[in-house]
Amino acid sequence: MNFLSKKSTWTNLEFIPLKLCIASIYLLLGVWLAEYIRHFQGLLLVLFVICLTLSLHLWLTKMRKEN
């Protein structure tokens, strides 16, 4: 599990998908707590999955470049 100890630099533009991913999961959790936002549940789940996939791809690409 050596990949967790490696350091990497990220630009502000590369942080956008990660921040959207985190924000969408918080909003998704809020959907289950607030009835008036419930109709956005599917959209937020799709946004979360897309941003998570993009963030993981960017992270893995950076880790491969540094080796």
Side-chain angles (χ1 to χ4, degrees), residues 3-66:
F3 67 93
L4 292 176
S5 63
K6 291 185 180 182
K7 295 192 179 199
S8 177
T9 57
W10 289 67
T11 65
N12 288 335
L13 185 61
E14 292 170 332
F15 266 121
I16 291 172
L18 181 62
K19 288 180 180 182
L20 280 173
C21 177
I22 293 169
S24 63
I25 196 63
Y26 278 124
L27 288 173
L28 185 62
L29 289 173
V31 165
W32 284 299
L33 301 174
E35 190 65 35
Y36 60 90
I37 305 175
R38 186 168 294 276
H39 60 278
F40 293 114
Q41 183 176 358
L43 178 66
L44 291 173
L45 186 58
V46 168
L47 179 63
F48 171 72
V49 170
I50 290 170
C51 291
L52 178 65
T53 305
L54 184 58
S55 296
L56 287 174
H57 172 71
L58 287 171
W59 179 55
L60 291 173
T61 304
K62 281 189 157 297
M63 288 300 177
R64 286 188 189 126
K65 273 186 182 178
E66 290 181 0

